[in-house]
């Protein structure tokens, strides 16, 4: 098993890095040609279940009625590559560099949940990595995640702000938690830019005059307009500003160098976010869509940990086992509140249900807080 | 490999707040200088758990836990717990091998740190298990322990006038942390709760101050927030024959694992302070049955003289038939006695600006069915004091015998 892991680390250095890419243009052919994936609302048919190590291209066609996503996961849900926002009828490609290992492919109709999974085996040769290379590959892998989430964030924020500008309140309300999902998954990266985070995500109590304070902008100001006043006639400038600010955050995030320590602390901070502002219902106090943010924070934390998994497996396999167990328990606690492709509203949960979520996050947070010292060794 | 230890503790689960955890690790060692007796350490190991007949300390942090794992091994396995760390400078023990500031710089400290530099302060940790550990609400056996549940560990019956909040009642496990410095008691509960995340979760907790009972002849009788001496007739550590008869569960008394243990009842009793304070002294004394200044029974004599319930003043009983000491007196209940160990509390004030204050009642006994239950039935039906008090929380726990040594742990005989 250990051998296997090290082999998996292998290709990472040169390749894993940032090679997953998505494009609507036909890409350079991989050795055996693209692997066709037919996605529908209840199936995910991958033409073959094996490939040679190296560049692998998937061609994903969405024949369903829901927007879907396609992922390739290594052990522990480490994202090797993903393509987001495949709208019905569209075909998109995922080009991903895969060292020899066991993987899973997944389609996510509706863009939520574990997805429809299949095993995918990659065989071949690969070289060993140094410790520094392993850490760098963790950072590269996470940066790839940030890149993919950022791309979707810009797209979804655009749809959301367009709806606000068009005065289409119902559509805007439906898109609000979806756009925030991509924001919340990578929020620790956005928080590096201290000036932009408040403009995008501040809450009314950050301002002396509360919700009507002229300085109050961003997602939550629009949330206030949509849910509390129900009047977006004067919201267009706020929406336009939000779009500009999100694009600025994304541009800066792409250029930012991250350290393994930042990944580890980011994973912990996302759980702290859940513990302090999602479980309490403070984050989305007008719309009560806090569980969407909760799930996104949890996904973001898990993605950061997953990117470091090879290093953690090498240095502290007991911690990895504990992390797996606690992440699974946290998801199990949250899953019971799923409704279709979304989540129950915060104010529909009982005290006991919130307590159970809090217990799961506390348990997980204690383990995740140990990761920083392991990667800092 | 500090992290492994930490994981081990977490997995030890009850580690969290229970059996597998060597509680001694949070207990300070006796320090060299014995300047202030209140600062000294109390022996943790022994036939009985400390914190029962131990002379009552000044402060309390009581915590009730829910067991949230369904994995029996996780709950009880003591072997994953790390060995106790070596004694530290200053004599204090802290959670985890890294302590408060000796661990990895990039890791959260193992210990939360607020007890650094403080003396042991008489800390005792007393552990108990509630009925819910054995069977769930539907009667299902949770951890294969149902057959070991003692008859004496029964849910308390409902009493008239109960105003119980389920959110601050019951619990699968409890820790009573008592110390002469509140920071020491809070530190113990906080670190145990943290170690237990994922296995046990705090259900409710209560801070207390100003012990309201004396549990030793060496202690003066303290006063509760009604201003009256409380616990004059309490069982005392020195009454060994009475303790054997009324406090400790003897061999053959039911569950073998409880031999040398005791049953604990807790009640959070809110006092209607403002209305009590505008009650005349005459009425206050008549309600209690003792004089307020000395604590002497209204039948005459001094504080420690037995009340004479037959005494008559001006043609009426000197002690009213519904006075608190009459209704609560052992002679009214077949001689059954309890060891009370309660604390006053003030949890701020309520939405009407009234002090949210009262007595956090704790009583230990051989069997609640002959101890607390008949007394409370009598009080709930007839006590004039009920006009000024309200029971808002209730719980019952079986506190197993003491931990013998460093290889032993809380409740071992129950779990093994």
């Amino acid at each position: 098993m250990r051998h296997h892991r090290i082999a998996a680390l292998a290709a990472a250095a040169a390749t894993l890095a940032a090679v997953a890419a998505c494009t609507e243009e036909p890409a350079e052919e991989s050795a055996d040609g693209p692997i066709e994936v037919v996605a529908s609302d209840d199936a995910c048919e991958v033409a073959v279940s094996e490939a040679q190590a190296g560049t692998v291209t998937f061609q994903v066609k969405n024949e369903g009625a829901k927007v879907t996503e396609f992922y390739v996961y290594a052990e522990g849900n480490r994202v090797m590559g993903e393509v987001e926002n495949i709208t019905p009828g569209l075909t998109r490609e995922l080009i991903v560099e895969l060292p020899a290992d066991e993987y899973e492919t997944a389609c996510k109709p509706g863009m939520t949940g574990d997805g429809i999974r299949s095993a995918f085996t990659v065989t071949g040769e690969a070289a060993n990595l140094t410790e520094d290379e392993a850490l760098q590959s963790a950072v590269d892998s996470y940066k790839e995640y940030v890149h993919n989430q950022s791309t979707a964030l810009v797209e979804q924020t655009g749809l959301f702000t367009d709806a606000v500008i068009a005065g289409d309140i119902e559509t805007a309300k439906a898109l609000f938690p979806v756009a925030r999902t991509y924001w919340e998954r990578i929020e620790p990266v956005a928080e590096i830019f201290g000036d932009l985070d408040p403009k995008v995500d501040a809450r009314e109590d950050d301002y002396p005059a509360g919700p009507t304070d002229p300085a109050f902008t961003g997602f939550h100001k629009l949330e206030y307009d949509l849910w509390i006043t129900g009047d977006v006639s004067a919201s267009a400038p706020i929406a336009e500003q939000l779009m500009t600010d999100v694009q600025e955050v994304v541009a800066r995030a792409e250029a930012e160098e991250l350290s393994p320590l930042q990944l580890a602390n980011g994973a912990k901070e996302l759980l702290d976010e859940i513990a302090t502002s999602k479980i309490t219902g403070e984050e989305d106090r007008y719309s009560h869509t806090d569980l969407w943010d909760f799930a996104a924070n949890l996904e973001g934390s898990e993605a950061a940990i997953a990117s470091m998994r090879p290093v953690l497996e090498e240095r502290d396999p007991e911690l990895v086992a504990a992390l797996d167990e606690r992440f699974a328990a946290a998801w199990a606690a949250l899953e019971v509140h799923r409704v279709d492709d979304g989540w129950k509203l915060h104010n529909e949960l009982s005290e006991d249900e919130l307590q159970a979520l809090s217990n799961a996050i506390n348990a997980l947070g204690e383990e995740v807080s140990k990761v920083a010292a392991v990667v800092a060794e | 490999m500090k992290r492994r230890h930490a994981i081990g503790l977490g997995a030890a689960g009850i580690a969290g707040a229970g059996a597998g955890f060597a509680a001694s690790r949070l207990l300070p060692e006796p320090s060299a200088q014995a300047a202030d007796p209140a600062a000294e350490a109390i022996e943790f190991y022994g036939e009985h758990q400390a914190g029962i007949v131990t002379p009552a300390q000044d402060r309390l942090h009581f915590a009730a836990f829910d067991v949230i794992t369904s994995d029996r091994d996780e709950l009880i396995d003591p072997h994953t717990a790390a060995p106790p760390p070596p004694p530290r400078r200053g004599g204090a023990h802290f959670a985890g091998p890294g302590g408060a500031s000796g661990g990895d710089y990039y890791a959260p400290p193992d210990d939360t740190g607020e007890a650094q530099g403080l003396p042991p302060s008489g800390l005792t940790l007393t552990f108990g298990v509630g009925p819910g550990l054995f069977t769930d609400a539907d009667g299902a056996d949770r951890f294969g322990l149902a057959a070991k549940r003692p008859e004496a560990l029964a849910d308390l019956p409902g009493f008239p006038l109960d105003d119980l909040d389920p959110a601050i009642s019951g619990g699968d496990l409890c820790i009573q942390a008592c110390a002469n410095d509140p920071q020491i008691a809070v530190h113990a509960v906080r670190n145990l709760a943290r170690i237990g995340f994922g296995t046990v979760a705090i259900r409710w907790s209560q801070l207390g101050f100003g012990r309201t009972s004396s549990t030793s002849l060496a202690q003066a009788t303290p006063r509760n927030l009604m201003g009256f001496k409380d616990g004059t007739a309490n069982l005392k550590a020195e009454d060994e024959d009475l303790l054997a008869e009324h406090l400790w569960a003897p061999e053959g008394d039911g569950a073998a694992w409880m031999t040398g243990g005791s049953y604990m009842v807790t009640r959070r009793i809110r006092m209607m302070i403002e209305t009590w304070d505008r009650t005349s002294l005459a009425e206050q004394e008549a309600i209690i049955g003792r004089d307020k200044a000395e604590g002497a029974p209204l039948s005459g004599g001094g504080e420690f003289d037995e009340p004479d319930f037959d005494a008559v003043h001006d043609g009426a009983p000197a002690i009213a038939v519904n006075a608190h000491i009459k209704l609560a007196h052992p002679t009214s209940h077949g001689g059954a006695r309890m060891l009370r160990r309660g604390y006053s509390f003030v949890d701020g004030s309520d939405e009407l600006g009234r002090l949210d204050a009262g007595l956090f009642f704790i009583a230990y006994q051989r069997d609640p069915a002959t101890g607390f239950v008949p007394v409370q039935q009598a009080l709930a039906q007839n006590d004039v004091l009920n006009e000024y008090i309200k029971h808002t929380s209730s719980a019952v726990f079986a506190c197993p015998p003491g931990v013998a040594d460093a290889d032993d742990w809380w409740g071992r005989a129950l779990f093994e």
Side-chain angles (χ1 to χ4, degrees):
Chain A
M1 204 51 218
R2 170 110 337 272
H3 233 72
H4 197 55
R5 286 271 102 234
I6 293 169
L9 272 182
T15 56
L16 221 201
V19 206
C22 88
T23 166
E24 291 175 44
E25 299 300 314
E28 201 177 326
E29 292 287 296
S30 54
D32 304 323
I35 297 168
E36 285 188 15
V37 180
V38 179
S40 62
D41 291 349
D42 53 10
C44 183
E45 289 164 17
V46 183
V48 295
S49 60
E50 290 183 354
Q52 285 291 309
T55 307
V56 179
T57 303
F58 295 91
Q59 199 165 63
V60 188
K61 177 157 208 258
N62 185 0
E63 293 190 344
K66 292 179 177 175
V67 178
T68 194
E69 297 172 340
F70 181 75
Y71 287 77
V72 179
Y73 290 110
E75 190 183 3
N77 278 344
R78 182 159 55 103
V79 178
M80 303 301 289
E82 63 184 293
V83 49
E84 310 255 3
N85 282 319
I86 313 168
T87 48
L90 195 67
T91 298
R92 296 180 91 168
E93 282 194 344
L94 169 67
I95 305 171
V96 59
E97 203 68 31
L98 296 177
D101 205 346
E102 297 292 334
Y103 301 92
E104 281 185 333
T105 56
C107 298
K108 290 193 185 176
M111 302 193 292
T112 55
D114 272 353
I116 303 161
R117 302 221 177 185
S118 311
F120 193 82
T121 305
V122 175
T123 52
E125 293 293 315
N128 286 344
L129 281 191
T130 66
E131 289 247 303
D132 283 350
E133 287 168 334
L135 284 172
Q136 187 55 47
S137 98
V139 171
D140 290 343
S141 161
Y142 183 68
K143 284 198 73 174
E144 180 58 25
Y145 176 79
V146 171
H147 169 78
N148 287 323
Q149 297 303 318
S150 303
T151 306
L153 171 63
V154 170
E155 287 176 18
Q156 292 294 324
T157 306
L159 295 177
F160 168 64
T161 53
D162 285 351
V164 172
I165 292 163
D168 183 350
I169 289 182
E170 284 317 303
T171 302
K173 280 183 167 181
L175 290 172
F176 171 78
V178 178
R180 287 190 57 75
T181 292
Y182 298 100
W183 170 261
E184 291 285 338
R185 281 178 183 165
I186 57 168
E187 192 169 8
V189 178
E191 281 178 350
I192 294 171
F193 317 114
D195 52 335
L196 282 170
D197 180 47
K199 289 178 76 180
V200 173
D201 202 30
R203 301 197 287 259
E204 65 168 65
D205 26 36
D206 294 325
Y207 300 100
T212 56
D213 196 299
F216 184 26
T217 61
F219 276 116
H220 295 303
K221 169 63 176 164
L222 295 177
E223 181 195 5
Y224 180 83
D225 294 344
L226 289 166
W227 271 272
I228 301 299
T229 66
D231 175 8
V232 292
S233 58
S235 307
I238 302 283
E240 284 158 10
Q241 185 63 45
L242 173 61
M243 192 62 210
T244 306
D245 292 337
V246 162
Q247 282 167 328
E248 173 72 14
V249 168
V250 166
R252 288 206 223 168
E254 298 271 359
E256 185 74 10
E257 265 316 305
L258 298 171
S259 71
L261 206 52
Q262 280 176 310
L263 262 61
N265 288 330
K268 174 190 164 292
E269 284 161 19
L270 281 164
L271 300 177
D272 294 346
E273 280 272 330
I274 297 175
T276 54
S277 62
K278 272 65 173 192
I279 282 175
T280 56
E282 287 169 37
E283 180 78 51
D284 302 310
R285 66 188 66 176
Y286 317 123
S287 64
H288 308 296
T289 53
D290 303 86
L291 287 199
W292 293 72
D293 295 37
F294 185 127
N297 286 159
L298 194 54
E299 282 162 346
S301 180
E302 196 169 26
I305 296 295
S307 68
M308 291 179 280
R309 189 179 183 94
V311 178
L312 297 175
E313 283 271 16
E314 189 65 28
R315 295 184 178 180
D316 197 340
E318 286 177 47
L319 178 57
V320 173
L323 287 165
D324 284 350
E325 186 186 316
R326 296 279 166 91
F327 267 113
W331 277 116
L334 183 60
E335 276 300 328
V336 298
H337 304 303
R338 183 184 289 287
V339 180
D340 300 327
D341 293 335
W343 303 94
K344 275 188 197 161
L345 298 181
H346 182 275
N347 55 1
E348 294 171 339
L349 268 56
S350 70
E351 290 289 328
D352 282 350
E353 288 170 332
L354 292 171
Q355 180 69 54
L357 291 174
S358 175
N359 289 344
I361 293 301
N362 278 337
L364 174 59
E366 282 291 321
E367 298 303 329
V368 169
S369 74
K370 295 169 187 161
V371 170
V374 180
V375 298
E377 267 176 4
Chain B
M1 294 256 75
K2 45 247 169 232
R3 293 180 313 280
R4 305 246 153 85
H5 283 307
I7 294 165
L9 280 177
I14 232 185
F21 182 58
S24 57
R25 84 181 61 252
L26 282 178
L27 289 158
E29 297 238 305
S31 59
Q33 66 279 42
D36 177 5
E40 277 309 287
I42 304 284
E43 179 59 50
F44 175 71
Y45 301 113
E47 182 188 358
H48 305 297
Q49 287 198 64
I52 301 176
V53 296
T54 305
Q57 303 94 323
D58 286 334
R59 302 290 188 142
L60 166 79
H61 191 180
F62 187 93
F65 295 81
D66 286 329
V67 173
I68 56 175
T69 183
S70 52
D71 181 346
R72 187 176 194 270
D73 292 338
E74 196 172 289
L75 180 69
I76 66 176
D77 184 2
H79 305 297
T80 48
R88 285 171 180 278
R89 193 156 44 95
H93 271 177
F94 296 104
S101 49
D104 195 307
Y105 197 54
Y106 292 100
D110 289 333
D111 184 279
T112 54
E114 71 274 27
Q116 295 177 97
L118 297 177
S121 310
L123 174 68
T124 55
L125 298 174
T126 313
F127 167 72
V129 300
L133 181 70
F134 297 85
T135 48
D136 65 18
D138 302 322
D141 188 350
R142 291 181 70 186
F143 300 102
L145 297 172
K148 286 184 152 182
R149 173 171 161 175
E151 264 184 51
L153 183 64
D155 287 315
L156 295 177
F159 300 102
L161 305 181
D162 270 358
D163 189 17
L164 305 179
D165 177 355
I168 56 168
S169 295
D172 298 334
L173 305 172
C174 76
I175 296 284
Q176 171 199 277
C178 296
N180 293 310
D181 181 337
Q183 187 133 325
I184 289 290
V186 167
H187 171 259
V189 167
R190 178 179 173 189
N191 282 273
L192 284 169
R194 183 176 173 213
I195 292 165
F197 281 142
T199 306
V200 296
I202 288 195
R203 177 177 175 83
W204 55 275
S205 80
Q206 179 70 51
L207 288 173
F209 64 93
R211 62 184 170 83
T212 59
S213 296
S214 51
T215 54
S216 165
L217 295 173
Q219 291 184 301
T221 312
R223 292 179 187 273
N224 62 29
L225 290 181
M226 291 187 151
F228 279 76
K229 288 187 178 178
D230 198 339
T232 299
N234 206 14
L235 277 178
K236 304 284 200 301
E238 293 81 356
D239 308 329
E240 288 190 19
D241 291 346
L242 289 175
L243 297 184
E245 189 183 343
H246 297 289
L247 179 65
W248 306 119
E251 203 172 342
D253 215 16
W257 63 272
M258 271 298 287
T259 301
S262 189
Y263 294 88
M264 177 209 288
V265 170
T266 70
R267 306 280 286 187
R268 182 183 185 276
I269 305 173
R270 165 99 187 257
M271 294 174 178
M272 301 295 112
I273 294 278
E274 290 77 8
T275 50
W276 175 258
D277 290 347
R278 44 182 180 258
T279 302
S280 73
L281 179 60
E283 190 175 342
Q284 288 187 4
E285 291 191 347
I287 288 170
I288 300 295
R290 291 184 182 274
D291 98 288
K292 197 167 185 179
E294 301 297 329
L298 296 182
S299 52
E303 180 192 345
F304 293 101
D305 287 319
E306 271 298 306
D308 176 0
F309 297 118
D310 297 326
V312 173
H313 282 183
D314 300 332
I319 299 172
V321 293
N322 57 358
H324 186 72
I325 63 164
K326 164 69 175 157
L327 294 169
H329 201 267
T331 53
S332 304
H333 309 283
R337 310 272 304 262
M338 295 177 270
L339 183 140
R340 280 173 287 144
R341 213 178 192 287
Y343 288 83
S344 292
F345 67 85
V346 176
D347 293 345
S349 30
D350 68 12
E351 67 285 359
L352 297 175
R354 304 176 301 186
L355 281 187
D356 185 1
L359 168 66
F360 187 71
F361 172 95
I362 302 174
Y364 289 91
Q365 61 240 281
R366 177 173 164 181
D367 184 351
T370 54
F372 175 77
V373 171
V375 173
Q376 180 55 23
Q377 265 159 354
L379 291 174
Q381 280 162 16
N382 298 309
D383 196 352
V384 190
L385 200 53
N386 289 331
E387 201 175 315
Y388 302 97
I389 61 175
K390 198 158 68 172
H391 288 236
T392 58
S393 142
S394 175
V396 59
F397 300 97
C399 301
V403 176
D405 53 40
D407 294 326
D408 193 11
W409 35 280
W410 277 322
R412 179 175 186 157
L414 166 62
F415 295 108
E416 279 195 343

